[in-house]
Amino acid sequence: MSLVFQVIGAGVAGLSVASELSQRGAPVRLYDRNGPPGPHACSWWAGGMLAPFCEGESAEEPVMRWGQLAADWWESMGASVKRNGSLVLALGRDQRELDRFSRRTHNHHWLNDNDLLTLEPELGGRFTRALYFPDEAHLDPRQALGALTQTLREQNVEIITSEGHFTQHAIDCRGLTAQDQLSDLRGVKGEMLVLRCPELTFNRPIRLLHPRIPIYLVPRGEGVYMLGATMLESNDRRRATVRSVLELLSSAYALHPAFGEAEIIEIGVDARPAFPDNLPRLRIRNGILFVNGLYRHGFLLAPTLARMTADYLLEKKIPEFLDAN
Amino acid sequence: MANFYGVELSSPLMLGTSQYPSPAILTDAFRNSNASVATVSVRREAGFEKAGNSFWKLIQELGVRVLPNTAGCYSVREAITTAQMARELFDTSWVKLEVIGHPDTLQPDPFGLVEAAKLLNQEGFDVFPYMTEDLILAERLLEAGCEVLMPWGSPIGTGLGLNNLYGLRSLRAHFPDVPLVIDAGLGLPSQAAQALEMGYDAVLLNTAVARAGDPVKMAVAFARAIEAGQLAYKADPMEPRDMAAPSTPVLGKAFLR
Ligand SMILES: Cc1cc2nc3c(=O)[nH]c(=O)nc-3n(C[C@H](O)[C@H](O)[C@H](O)COP(=O)(O)OP(=O)(O)OC[C@H]3O[C@@H](n4cnc5c(N)ncnc54)[C@H](O)[C@@H]3O)c2cc1C
């Protein structure tokens, strides 16, 4: 009997692992108890920024290094990746936050009000300077998850709506649900909104720094924007609070008053699965391989984790993010 | 070392637990600085979640005393509910009482503070009130049953240090036997050292460490500064004078008048 890998969980982790294995010719079965990707998965709510350099502000070095490979991988899997860079801004009295951000990150340069006017005309006159990260990209997570589902289907791998079998060749990609096996996995709650604001055209993700309430906006096209995201130490995956939504919306309004007229399309919430160092890893426990801990870097780091998983399973290469004890 | 509701702390450094790049770095900051108390924001972080918050488990595993706070509470009622929740969650009667008066400056509301302190003390809490450095407010809080006071250095998160030295000195002088903790506004270790040199019993900080480029190094820097400040206070510093005073008479020169 030939070996069939059983991938359990079809969020960004499971789908990426299954796609990578299947692409390399390995037989795969993919299970999700909730069926194809949808609001039940944390991945559904992500912003979709592929911003390894911006993340360097607070993340450990590997995030920057591995994150740079994400855009190409997603494109090779049929996702539509926009490579317009990203912009980082701060309101008048928070300018020091911007200086701090520039000290902690790489691969950026300063823009003055004129540059800004050329790049994002809507911001002209509202901000006198910005940090520009030209090598960053973004995607629409739901489109990207759909692309992986489609690629797999073309290779005759369908998502099976079932719990899956936790047998020897199981690859556990259950996200936060794997807390039942991984005691150091915790949830970091994130709340987000989707807004429609046809008056505004932004072409790239915009981060607005603030000491307490930093936000970002990711354009989804046709005047639709994802507005994110809170970061709260909590496993709660259900309740978006008035406070969080108010804070996110006020910041968006401060970024541009036209958001006052925007339509609220969605209010979303989920908890990101994270290990204590906020880095993802492969972990072997009782013969099962766990691929987890993507934290706020699901789309940024799933490609690398998927490659590491395939390298390990198919070529016995010991990956950087493996913990096997 | 001063006595905080019957507890002698192993170090005058109290650290907040929010805004660190990761829990792993938070843990290292505590380990390397020997901080003795961890403050936890129950309200903002929790979403009223009871059992099984893995972050809290992690804080409890630090092995230091936990001081839950009522950060983000704007009314007496909110503060009381949050304190009750905290007592249940962390199994401690300690609470750092914050009743915030202004959402922007996060400045304490002294009136709500006294009222909430009274109620919480009646309920058997050990209240650590976050306050402005006002003497009368201090008196009212002591009357309300508080045995520890936590005046701010400057507004939360500003890093401006000890803004009103005169006020803080007189607070120390008026209440020589009350444990006093500088809470909020510290940005640099030298400012923490200054607080201890003035006879303050402890300092509580968060942003200065959590948002430093290297939080672990900064935590250690604070620990050392605090140790220096404490030692200096114990050594009974010389009285400063406002002119250079030779310690031996200078021959042949008329005395300055
Ligand atoms: C508001 C918000 C914004 C974010 N923004 C970004 C961003 O801009 N960029 C970025 O890279 N990341 C972002 N993230 C993080 C990203 O969403 C997560 O890192 C990622 O979704 C984690 O993916 P996962 O596959 O591990 O988990 P999930 O997506 O939760 O997938 C787990 C799957 O396992 C299934 N499952 C669970 N138990 C079982 C079982 N017993 N049997 C079978 N199936 C099971 C579930 O149904 C689910 O489909 C954001 C997250 C949030 C909440």
Side-chain angles (χ1 to χ4, degrees):
Chain A
M1 195 189 86
S2 82
L3 185 154
V4 179
F5 294 108
Q6 319 275 336
V7 180
I8 301 168
V12 70
L15 278 167
S16 302
V17 165
S19 303
E20 184 72 22
L21 284 170
S22 174
Q23 198 102 90
R24 296 197 199 177
V28 175
R29 270 194 209 113
L30 175 56
Y31 299 89
D32 196 301
R33 64 177 176 192
N34 295 302
H40 55 267
C42 182
S43 307
W44 193 251
W45 305 108
M49 291 184 295
L50 304 177
F53 302 110
C54 283
E55 288 302 310
E57 187 239 349
S58 60
E60 307 275 344
E61 179 274 335
V63 175
M64 236 185 311
R65 185 159 32 95
W66 294 117
Q68 290 179 57
L69 309 173
D72 288 345
W73 189 88
W74 281 108
E75 219 158 52
S76 77
M77 290 292 173
S80 78
V81 176
K82 304 247 173 3
R83 298 174 191 254
N84 294 341
S86 39
L87 269 183
V88 185
L89 302 164
L91 293 167
R93 60 172 191 185
D94 302 326
Q95 286 307 309
R96 284 178 171 197
E97 293 289 317
L98 199 54
D99 295 316
R100 173 182 184 274
F101 199 93
S102 78
R103 287 200 305 276
R104 305 269 170 83
T105 51
H106 304 283
N107 287 45
H108 54 64
H109 57 259
W110 287 100
L111 302 184
N112 62 24
D113 43 357
N114 270 330
D115 308 329
L116 202 53
L117 197 63
T118 323
L119 208 63
E120 290 291 2
E122 316 269 15
L123 293 173
R126 304 194 49 79
F127 294 88
T128 50
R129 59 179 198 151
L131 273 178
Y132 181 44
F133 292 76
D135 305 325
E136 298 190 332
H138 68 282
L139 49 69
D140 175 348
R142 297 175 195 176
Q143 191 272 334
L145 296 169
L148 292 185
T149 311
Q150 184 56 33
T151 311
L152 282 166
R153 183 169 297 143
E154 283 157 17
Q155 289 155 6
N156 295 318
V157 182
E158 294 286 342
I159 299 169
I160 304 162
T161 307
S162 140
E163 296 271 329
H165 308 288
F166 294 86
T167 51
Q168 265 243 308
H169 300 296
I171 307 169
D172 186 320
C173 300
R174 289 179 296 139
L176 194 57
T177 314
Q179 264 182 326
D180 59 2
Q181 302 284 317
L182 306 172
S183 63
D184 56 346
L185 196 68
R186 73 186 202 288
V188 180
K189 180 178 173 181
E191 292 142 301
M192 57 80 89
L193 291 101
V194 181
L195 305 176
R196 181 178 289 123
C197 188
E199 272 180 66
L200 286 177
T201 312
F202 293 130
N203 302 302
R204 49 186 57 74
I206 296 170
R207 296 184 186 227
L208 184 66
L209 304 180
H210 184 277
R212 291 198 301 279
I213 317 160
I215 59 148
Y216 58 80
L217 275 166
V218 189
R220 294 270 165 88
E222 288 165 25
V224 175
Y225 297 93
M226 183 274 189
L227 167 62
T230 53
M231 297 267 285
L232 301 162
E233 290 291 345
S234 166
N235 294 329
D236 174 25
R237 307 183 66 171
R238 300 241 178 291
R239 287 159 299 180
T241 64
V242 169
R243 182 200 306 265
S244 294
V245 172
L246 271 177
E247 286 177 350
L248 290 169
L249 287 174
S250 321
S251 300
Y253 184 67
L255 176 72
H256 203 297
F259 280 113
E261 295 301 319
E263 174 193 351
I264 298 176
I265 303 181
E266 269 180 41
I267 296 177
V269 55
D270 211 321
R272 311 161 178 93
F275 289 115
D277 55 6
N278 291 342
L279 285 174
R281 42 171 70 51
L282 316 189
R283 179 181 285 172
I284 299 166
R285 285 283 182 287
N286 309 322
I288 294 175
L289 178 62
F290 292 84
V291 180
N292 215 319
L294 279 164
Y295 181 49
R296 53 188 270 176
H297 302 131
F299 289 79
L300 187 65
L301 295 182
T304 291
L305 276 196
R307 280 197 182 119
M308 286 180 177
T309 305
D311 284 350
Y312 176 65
L313 293 175
L314 306 178
E315 296 166 34
K316 299 276 164 277
K317 271 196 224 156
I318 300 295
E320 181 176 335
F321 293 150
L322 175 74
D323 92 48
N325 53 11
Chain B
M1 189 72 210
N3 193 302
F4 299 84
Y5 292 104
V7 176
E8 276 202 30
L9 297 176
S10 57
S11 135
L13 180 58
M14 307 183 176
L15 282 181
T17 53
S18 62
Q19 302 183 63
Y20 290 78
S22 70
I25 291 177
L26 182 159
T27 304
D28 280 356
F30 270 85
R31 296 258 152 82
N32 286 283
S33 65
N34 289 319
S36 58
V37 171
T39 59
V40 194
S41 163
V42 177
R43 193 177 187 80
R44 229 171 329 149
E45 314 275 295
F48 292 94
E49 185 186 332
K50 297 262 151 120
N53 183 316
S54 2
F55 183 67
W56 293 345
K57 211 172 68 196
L58 202 134
I59 300 236
Q60 275 162 333
E61 280 165 9
L62 291 172
V64 302
R65 282 199 83 87
V66 176
L67 175 58
N69 68 39
T70 63
C73 293
Y74 288 84
S75 69
V76 173
R77 214 190 132 90
E78 273 181 296
I80 303 239
T81 318
T82 308
Q84 288 163 339
M85 205 169 92
R87 172 157 66 182
E88 214 175 295
L89 282 169
F90 289 102
D91 196 24
T92 172
S93 53
W94 280 23
V95 65
K96 184 188 142 192
L97 179 61
E98 287 188 33
V99 182
I100 300 299
H102 193 280
D104 214 25
T105 59
L106 299 181
Q107 138 158 27
D109 165 5
F111 307 99
L113 186 65
V114 173
E115 199 185 324
K118 212 175 276 167
L119 293 169
L120 289 175
N121 280 313
Q122 279 163 8
E123 283 192 33
F125 281 93
D126 298 323
V127 179
F128 293 64
Y130 165 60
M131 58 185 283
T132 54
E133 72 284 3
D134 189 273
L135 284 182
I136 310 306
L137 173 58
E139 250 162 37
R140 293 281 190 278
L141 286 166
L142 295 172
E143 280 164 21
C146 296
E147 294 174 21
V148 174
L149 298 176
M150 291 190 136
W152 66 352
S154 45
I156 295 178
T158 58
L160 291 173
L162 308 180
N163 243 355
N164 178 2
L165 280 178
Y166 166 78
L168 292 170
R169 280 211 182 93
S170 38
L171 197 65
R172 180 71 287 178
H174 272 81
F175 305 103
D177 301 323
V178 177
L180 296 181
V181 184
I182 294 285
D183 176 10
L186 298 180
L188 286 170
S190 51
Q191 297 160 349
Q194 191 182 21
L196 273 287
E197 285 166 3
M198 282 162 53
Y200 274 76
D201 298 287
V203 295
L204 166 53
L205 47 121
N206 189 349
T207 317
V209 167
R211 302 265 291 163
D214 185 335
V216 181
K217 265 200 192 106
M218 193 55 94
V220 174
F222 269 99
R224 291 191 191 161
I226 284 162
E227 198 189 338
Q230 194 179 33
L231 209 55
Y233 179 69
K234 281 189 193 146
D236 190 9
M238 64 170 281
E239 288 300 328
R241 301 178 56 155
D242 47 13
M243 69 170 105
S247 48
T248 51
V250 180
L251 284 178
K253 293 226 167 136
F255 289 123
L256 295 172
R257 255 170 291 196

